[in-house]
Every structure is written in structure tokens, then in C-alpha cells.
Amino acid sequence: MKNTTFEPPVSHLAEADPEIYGAVESEIRRQNENVELIASENYSSFAVRESCGSVLTDKYAEGYPGRRWYGGCEWVDEVEKLAIARACKLFGAEYANVQPHAGSQANMAILMAAIRPGGKVLGMSLSHGGHLTHGHKRNFSGDLYQAVSYGVDEQTGFLDYRQVRRLAEQENPDIIIAGASAYSRKIDFGHFRDIADQVGAYLMVDMAHIAGLIAAGLHPDPVPYADFIASTTHKTLRGPRSGFILARRKYAESIDAAVFPGIQGGPLMHVIAAKAVAFKEAMSPAFADYQVQVLANADAMARHFIERGLRVVSGGTDNHLMLLDLSGNGFSGREATEWLAAANITVNKNVIPFDKRSPAEAGGIRIGTPAITSRGMKEKAAVQIADWIVEILMSKDPEETAGSLRSKVKGLCDEFPVHCC
Ligand code: PLP
């Protein structure tokens, strides 16, 4: 019988390092017994994880295929060439760099390639759904560059394109970043292109969250509009934890140089192999079906929250995630996260646009459907989970309610074991 459990072959590890083995085993149990609603997480396939755990981890390969600084690179060259070709094919791009270790490194390499330190970046504010690397002051992007931020409209919760244009005209940025970590609506990349052209700025798109949806043709495509595209591979795209860059061919040399030797040393060839596998998986019809279900589950959950009286920022979702605004409910996102954890439901606290609470407390929670959909859950299960969340958050004694629902949540998890395709 085909092994459909989530257990990796960790027997060598058990012998060599029982403590780490124990932690891995506990994490397997946690993943199986908890409903994972963190919008940026997913379950990668056995094939992806087998590549990550392969001998390719032992190989140094500074440089690029056919021009390495080390010998013995003939097989890792094959791996990287496949990963590049598949990334280009999947997204219809002219050029790809698959070496960034993660999304943050992809963003850093693009900024390094495109503008000089001291240049001006216009990105989405972290407090409105952007990412740290889009110009936050505690991040390199706000430290090395002059950062200006745009956000969402206070009334609608939708991206405020008029503000983006006004700021672009006023500030004359060198680069505009479109993309987000906690924004539930489609992004109009053509509109961003128009604004960038008006002020003579580069347009960079960070599609980390929505890469899987874009690959499946379920979100507007940034490729025709962006000069540079950064992404992670582990969110909706369901690959290993990592990053990559797409760009127009004319920027190939500067992006390659910015990644290596600019900000990284040896590429992680085992992870590049896993990225190649993930890109191949993402070309299958089953992957497109999966993304359709991700959207259907998110939509069903958002509608249920609204029906039951919770506020969803912007009134719904077009993608895999939503933000619940709990600011009118008298408790914080931190508290909500802790109560839900007691019912084996994992979410993250999240500031909501125009939040009055500190980021540590936060006025809301972010909820995403990529992981539950990878377990095979459909709308019925998604609505059931949303219903439990409402029951806990609206309860007079949320902790007790969470405790009483825990076995039901585990029951649902048993029905949908974490196995991968
Ligand atoms: N860009 C966006 C939009 C993200 O949401 C994230 C991570 O959450 C990143 C970049 C950074 O990715 P990583 O955590 O792999 O550095």
C-alpha cells in the first residue's frame, strides 16, 4: 500500500540525535493534529522534501551553470538549468534566477541590482499589509534606502491607487514595489505600471503570497508589467522554503551579479532541486484544481465570518487569505491567536489597516486556506472551521469554548490527514 502518512525517513536521525528526532516527530504530530490557517504556510510534497534532504546539500557551486568557481558541478548544473527553465515556462518569463535563499533575499537582490543605496523606494506599508522588505525602517530596505509607503483606503480596505500615484508624483521614487503579505484583493499590476511609467520608476512586483494563484492563471499576471518579480516558493506555490526572481532579459546580468557575489555565497543546491520539482508540480492540471479550491475555501470562510457578524477587512477576499478585524470586539489579535491555539487552530495575529493596537497585540488575525486545501478540505470543512472560530471568538469564555472544541478539531484533522500529492 502506498504510504500516505506524513512521516519522513528519519531513522538515521533517531539514532544520531534523539533530541532533534524527537522535535521532528512532535512537529509531525502537531502538523497532523492542528488546523493550519497561517496564510504563508503550506505542506510540500514528498518529492520536494526528498530533494531538500538529498546529497545535493553537500555541494558547493558558487557561480552559475557553466561558469562555477568549483569543480564537480556537472549534476548541480543540470539541476539549476532545469529549475531556471521551469520557472520561466511556468510564469512565461524571459529570465529567472533561482538562487535566492528566501523571499527577503530575492527582494534584496532586486533592490541592489536596480538602485543605489540612498535611492528611493515606494512600497506598501507593513501596517497596511506590505512586507518588512518593502521599506520598513527596521529592515535593510528602510535602512539603506529612502522609503515611502502607500496603503489602503480607510473606507473600503482596497489598495488606494490614487494615493500611490500622488506619492509617486510627489516623491519621485526610483522603484515602486507592488505586492503584499496581508492583502486579500487582486492587485492591478497594469495600474502600477502606468504610475511607474509616469514618474520614470522601475516596477518591482513581490508575488510571494500569490505565486501559486498566478501560476494557475487565477490572479492577474505581473509578468507583462513588471521589470522585476520576486517570490517565495513555499506559500501558495507549495514548494520548499525559498525564493526566486523573474525579470526581463535585459536585467539578467545585473540580477545575477546582485545575487552572487552581491549578497549570497554558495547556492543551496538541494533547495534549488526542490524548487525545480515544485515548478514541475505547479504545471500539472491537479495544481490548477488545487488553486481553484484554495480560492473557493477562502471565499466560503470569509462569507461565513461576515454572516456571523465578524468584520473582514475590505468585505471579503479575492485570494487565499483574509484579515479579520477584531478591533470592535474588545480583544486583541494576540488573545484571539492564543484562544484558537487552545482549540488546535493555528493563525497569526496581524495588524489591520489603521490599527490602534501595537503590532505585538494587533487588532486582527490573518487567515489563509493554502494548507487546509492541501489536506483535501473543501468548502464544507472550511465553513466548519470558520464556524468554530466564530464560536470561540464570540464566546463569553473563549478559553473554555476552545478547550471544548479541541476534540472536534482533531476529529476533522483525522478525516483529512496531512499527506501530499
Ligand atoms: N515578500 C512577501 C510579500 C512576504 O509575505 C514574505 C514572507 O512572508 C517575504 C517577501 C519574505 O519571505 P522569506 O520569509 O522567505 O524571507
Side-chain angles (χ1 to χ4, degrees):
M1 202 176 99
K2 196 173 169 224
N3 173 19
T4 53
T5 68
F6 199 45
E7 289 174 31
V10 286
S11 55
H12 296 285
L13 182 59
E15 208 171 304
D17 193 331
E19 286 157 295
I20 293 294
Y21 176 76
V24 172
E25 275 221 308
S26 300
E27 174 62 11
I28 292 168
R29 202 172 321 114
R30 188 195 71 78
Q31 291 193 11
N32 270 294
E33 293 180 356
N34 284 261
V35 164
E36 181 57 74
L37 294 175
I38 293 179
S40 48
E41 293 186 13
N42 210 332
Y43 306 113
S44 54
S45 69
F46 284 121
V48 162
R49 284 186 283 121
E50 194 176 327
S51 312
C52 280
S54 73
V55 294
L56 299 178
T57 194
D58 298 331
K59 187 72 195 98
Y60 243 115
E62 282 179 357
Y64 290 96
R67 44 195 175 107
R68 304 283 191 187
W69 292 89
Y70 289 79
C73 287
E74 54 273 30
W75 295 112
V76 290
D77 273 7
E78 286 307 307
V79 166
E80 188 164 345
K81 282 192 277 186
L82 277 169
I84 291 168
R86 289 175 186 173
C88 288
K89 185 168 173 208
L90 181 62
F91 292 100
E94 291 174 9
Y95 154 89
N97 186 307
V98 295
Q99 291 197 4
H101 297 328
S104 299
Q105 285 68 32
N107 286 351
M108 187 178 205
I110 290 174
L111 291 179
M112 298 272 292
I115 65 177
R116 301 299 307 157
K120 203 175 267 184
V121 176
L122 175 59
M124 191 171 189
S125 161
L126 181 69
S127 62
H128 282 217
H131 189 256
L132 280 167
T133 50
H134 298 180
H136 192 268
K137 59 180 183 312
R138 303 274 300 272
N139 182 263
F140 80 91
S141 57
D143 189 25
L144 297 182
Y145 303 100
Q146 301 175 64
V148 184
S149 302
Y150 62 84
V152 298
D153 180 271
E154 189 160 10
Q155 297 309 316
T156 64
F158 279 62
L159 253 170
D160 187 347
Y161 292 95
R162 271 195 300 196
Q163 186 198 34
V164 181
R165 191 179 294 275
R166 186 166 35 79
L167 285 170
E169 284 167 357
Q170 270 169 20
E171 300 284 345
N172 212 13
D174 299 296
I175 191 164
I176 299 177
I177 307 178
S181 299
Y183 181 65
S184 65
R185 296 300 183 173
K186 288 193 173 116
I187 301 177
D188 183 347
F189 300 121
H191 206 150
F192 272 101
R193 176 80 258 169
D194 187 52
I195 297 169
D197 283 344
Q198 191 191 331
V199 299
Y202 288 117
L203 177 61
M204 163 181 170
V205 169
D206 180 347
M207 63 171 187
H209 261 268
I210 52 176
L213 299 172
I214 291 169
L218 297 170
H219 185 285
D221 183 3
V223 172
Y225 302 107
D227 296 296
F228 311 99
I229 299 174
S231 187
T232 55
T233 37
H234 48 271
K235 300 181 170 73
T236 49
L237 200 50
R238 210 165 62 183
R241 306 200 68 73
S242 197
F244 66 101
I245 294 170
L246 306 174
R248 299 197 174 157
R249 162 118 342 259
K250 63 181 173 183
Y251 302 123
E253 243 176 78
S254 50
I255 292 284
D256 280 353
V259 175
F260 173 83
I263 62 166
Q264 291 186 178
L268 310 176
M269 292 314 308
H270 52 309
V271 185
I272 290 176
K275 283 184 262 195
V277 172
F279 295 141
K280 184 173 179 189
E281 289 174 351
M283 288 178 208
S284 73
F287 185 81
D289 293 346
Y290 160 72
Q291 297 296 345
V292 168
Q293 192 63 51
V294 166
L295 293 182
N297 287 351
D299 186 56
M301 289 184 91
R303 285 174 193 278
H304 193 74
F305 287 133
I306 293 166
E307 262 169 38
R308 296 285 316 270
L310 285 179
R311 182 171 177 266
V312 175
V313 172
S314 88
T317 179
D318 300 328
N319 62 22
H320 62 299
L321 66 80
M322 68 211 74
L323 271 183
L324 285 190
D325 173 2
L326 305 171
S327 59
N329 295 59
F331 51 82
S332 68
R334 178 190 60 75
E335 286 169 298
T337 303
E338 284 168 14
W339 296 331
L340 295 174
N344 280 22
I345 296 174
T346 313
V347 301
N348 64 278
K349 64 185 172 193
N350 216 104
V351 289
I352 48 154
F354 308 97
D355 211 329
K356 294 196 171 54
R357 292 184 192 264
S358 69
E361 285 296 314
I365 54 176
R366 188 181 62 163
I367 287 180
T369 54
I372 60 164
T373 311
S374 287
R375 290 179 94 137
M377 293 188 191
K378 298 203 163 47
E379 289 93 323
K380 186 165 169 247
V383 168
Q384 175 64 80
I385 294 165
D387 206 56
W388 286 329
I389 292 174
V390 177
E391 205 177 322
I392 293 165
L393 298 184
M394 300 265 196
S395 154
K396 286 207 175 69
D397 190 341
E399 262 169 85
E400 201 202 296
T401 308
S404 70
L405 285 175
R406 194 157 168 257
S407 60
K408 288 189 181 166
V409 175
K410 281 173 79 173
L412 183 72
C413 289
D414 288 344
E415 258 183 72
F416 295 95
V418 177
H419 62 84
C420 277
C421 21

